[in-house]
Amino acid sequence: MIDSGARKLYTLKIREEYRQMVLPSGGDEIKRLEEHIRRFGCGEPISVWSGRLLVDYDRYAIFHRLRVPFRIINNSARNSEEVIEWICRSQLQRTDLTDAMRRYLIGRQFLSLKLLGAHYAASAPSPARNRRASPAGAPKYESTPIRIRERLGKLYHIRQETIERYAAYAKAIDVVRTAAPDLAEGLLSGRLWLTVDRILELPRKAPEEIRKLNTVLSGGTELTGEDDSLNDFFPAKQKSPDSPSLPSVSVKDMPSYDPDAEIASLTLTIPTWVSSMRRVNSDVDFAAVSADAKHAARKELVLLKNEVEAVLHHIKREG
């Protein structure tokens, strides 16, 4: 991180994807912050990346409201995915997070680390091919999801399976946000409530159903997980009386080879690539990018394009 040193009333860009990972402070905390700024000035510098505000939204708003100059510190992340991972790590140190926001941030951090690990493992020369080293020489990005789960599980004192569940939860919240932003914000802030299982069902709902659910939950009625008014959205799963019972299966009976495993893994990874490319297309000033960086990106994109065409050829040939 590089501290600018200069104090002035900077005007920073706001990126919604970053802002959505920061839980707003409560009214009492805002008052405490404002009083502190009135008495002592800006205090710690505000973190930015590529001119974008990262986490200090409440302080930034107070600085501008009171016309108080402040310092900025530039985040050293190399790309937006590293920024997202940094924001998650930073916010997870807060003691005022809701349970929903904590789940969401752990899930987003895992998804970012998984993408970063795969990227740097593919691009790093041997013998450091499986990880990118930090300046101190310690591994920064693990190359496999299981190592990332182990690392985060130890860090947050939760099971590895819970890390995967939180990742699915984060994806579900992002789907909800696309259809009904107020519902996503309400769930993460704790103003609205649904069980985790029900939130995981929401990506399978049509956008209009999600918006209708937001209307029901925001109607001022105290709803619990078993409330009758939610039955239309989450019908109980009933087992057909004619359905044959499944035989019990032990670990020894499980198949040793799943022909769908590799393609399923690829299918789950591709949306993250697409998201990263969309961010590049919308945010990057290509005229300002160095020729070396553009050449390196073009080389990797051509390789990716060739592999995509090969996979599509196999899928088309095999029907």
Side-chain angles (χ1 to χ4, degrees):
M1 298 245 185
I2 301 175
D3 193 330
S4 70
R7 293 190 183 191
K8 65 181 193 178
L9 202 60
Y10 294 92
T11 298
L12 303 173
K13 292 179 281 188
I14 305 294
R15 180 167 178 164
E16 277 302 296
E17 184 178 15
Y18 300 162
R19 186 198 63 77
Q20 290 160 358
M21 291 186 288
V22 178
L23 186 70
S25 300
D28 290 343
E29 177 63 15
I30 294 292
K31 291 179 182 178
R32 189 194 67 77
L33 273 175
E34 183 167 334
E35 178 61 24
H36 188 274
I37 290 170
R38 286 182 185 276
R39 293 180 61 187
F40 303 107
C42 74
E44 294 296 317
I46 278 183
S47 297
V48 303
W49 183 76
S50 190
R52 291 174 174 82
L53 180 61
L54 296 186
V55 296
D56 297 296
Y57 296 92
D58 295 327
R59 293 174 62 219
Y60 178 75
I62 294 171
F63 289 148
H64 275 266
R65 186 167 65 252
L66 301 180
R67 310 298 296 174
V68 174
F70 57 91
R71 291 179 296 138
I72 61 173
I73 186 168
N74 289 291
N75 192 287
S76 59
R78 301 188 350 170
N79 53 56
S80 187
E81 210 62 48
E82 287 191 351
V83 172
I84 290 172
E85 194 277 327
W86 181 90
I87 293 174
C88 291
R89 186 158 30 93
S90 168
Q91 290 300 290
L92 282 163
Q93 296 177 32
R94 292 174 57 172
T95 59
D96 61 341
L97 291 178
T98 63
D99 289 341
M101 180 59 90
R102 185 171 184 273
R103 283 191 292 267
Y104 178 77
L105 290 171
I106 293 174
R108 283 299 303 267
Q109 185 180 19
F110 171 70
L111 293 171
S112 289
L113 286 171
K114 188 163 68 168
L115 182 65
L116 289 166
H119 170 74
Y120 287 114
S123 60
S126 181
R129 188 172 180 81
N130 69 330
R131 61 187 62 182
R132 177 190 173 203
S134 68
K140 186 171 183 180
Y141 300 123
E142 298 288 0
S143 61
T144 61
I146 189 170
R147 288 179 176 175
I148 299 169
R149 289 195 301 267
E150 289 174 354
R151 194 169 182 175
L152 294 182
K154 290 178 181 177
L155 179 62
Y156 300 122
H157 308 290
I158 54 180
R159 298 173 59 190
Q160 294 182 41
E161 295 83 353
T162 304
I163 300 290
E164 288 282 4
R165 183 170 169 84
Y166 286 178
Y169 178 90
K171 290 180 180 179
I173 289 290
D174 287 339
V175 170
V176 170
R177 182 178 279 119
T178 300
D182 289 346
L183 177 55
E185 295 299 325
L187 291 170
L188 292 178
S189 68
R191 180 175 56 84
L192 303 176
W193 184 85
L194 282 174
T195 64
V196 174
D197 287 336
R198 283 181 165 175
I199 290 173
L200 293 178
E201 290 182 42
L202 292 179
R204 296 193 288 272
K205 306 287 185 182
E208 55 268 23
E209 288 185 276
I210 295 175
R211 287 190 286 271
K212 186 177 179 181
L213 174 62
N214 181 48
T215 302
V216 171
L217 290 175
S218 304
T221 304
E222 288 292 330
L223 297 176
T224 67
E226 303 302 325
D227 197 283
D228 290 341
S229 61
L230 296 180
N231 288 342
D232 290 341
F233 297 99
F234 305 101
K237 298 176 182 178
Q238 296 181 349
K239 183 178 178 181
S240 171
D242 298 328
S243 299
S245 59
L246 296 176
S248 60
V249 180
S250 71
V251 175
K252 292 186 292 184
D253 297 322
M254 295 297 287
S256 58
Y257 169 66
D258 179 2
D260 289 350
E262 290 296 334
I263 196 74
S265 176
L266 179 65
T267 303
L268 290 172
T269 305
I270 288 173
T272 311
W273 303 348
V274 173
S275 176
S276 295
M277 290 180 186
R278 284 176 178 165
R279 283 199 298 268
V280 169
N281 283 328
S282 63
D283 295 347
V284 170
D285 179 4
F286 283 90
V289 177
S290 69
D292 288 344
K294 285 188 282 192
H295 175 75
R298 183 180 182 279
K299 178 182 175 182
E300 297 300 328
L301 287 169
V302 169
L303 288 174
L304 176 60
K305 177 175 177 287
N306 292 339
E307 295 301 329
V308 167
E309 290 176 348
V311 172
L312 288 173
H313 172 74
H314 286 299
I315 291 174
K316 182 178 180 181
R317 186 181 65 186
E318 300 299 331

